[in-house]
Amino acid sequence: MLMDASRASLVIIDVQEKLYPACEEPEQTVEACCFLVKCANRLDVPVIVTEQYPKGLGHTAPAILDLVMKSSSTVDGGNVVSKVSFSSVPADGFMEKIEETPGRDQIVIAGMETHVCVLQTVMELIDRGREVYVVSDAVTSRSTADKIFGLERMRDAGAKIVTRESVMFEWLRVAGTPEFKELSALIK
């Protein structure tokens, strides 16, 4: 099954000011999340951001949050969901945001930490019948072992493990369009 922009939502999990510097490759993770949000914004894919206990961990990395706020589907931070549960699913408003646009059964996931909040969110979304794609080069943990464990466990549970370029090219489907020309310029 290919990813389809008309069926997808993008979820960025807990890439927060006090958390991402403690994880491996923090700058690359923020950059990869920004790449995905730019693609989503251009292709009208809804973007939802979660923040784990923002009072203690701060808010989403400004580079990501700025792009999310530019989305045509975002009004006054309405796509940012605060949570204290590790999984995003039980957080107030999260599933409502997922279900806001009918037919969006594919959930593309990026963020941190791979083996905790990302994993628990993915498992619960799969349990709810969603088709889940985890972007391997847009997730991170404090250790490589934890990231690998998390990705393997999610794959075993039925999540598809992809890369950010796979997401972009599958959402685009064809070359030669204005969207293709704009988004392919993001590849370095």
Side-chain angles (χ1 to χ4, degrees), residues 83-95:
K83 64 187 184 68
V84 292
S85 57
F86 295 119
S87 171
S88 303
V89 172
D92 286 341
F94 180 78
M95 286 308 297

Side-chain angles (χ1 to χ4, degrees), residues 69-133:
M69 294 306 154
K70 290 178 184 174
S71 168
S72 61
S73 65
T74 301
V75 179
D76 297 328
N79 286 19
V80 179
V81 176
S82 294
K83 64 187 184 68
V84 292
S85 57
F86 295 119
S87 171
S88 303
V89 172
D92 286 341
F94 180 78
M95 286 308 297
E96 290 80 2
K97 293 288 179 199
I98 292 288
E99 294 166 355
E100 221 167 61
T101 309
R104 300 270 177 183
D105 60 335
Q106 294 182 344
I107 312 297
V108 177
I109 304 273
M112 54 188 58
E113 284 194 72
T114 310
H115 66 296
V116 183
C117 296
V118 171
L119 181 138
Q120 290 185 32
T121 301
V122 166
M123 297 299 207
E124 288 198 38
L125 287 169
I126 290 170
D127 283 347
R128 290 176 178 239
R130 301 301 172 143
E131 193 173 312
V132 181
Y133 297 84

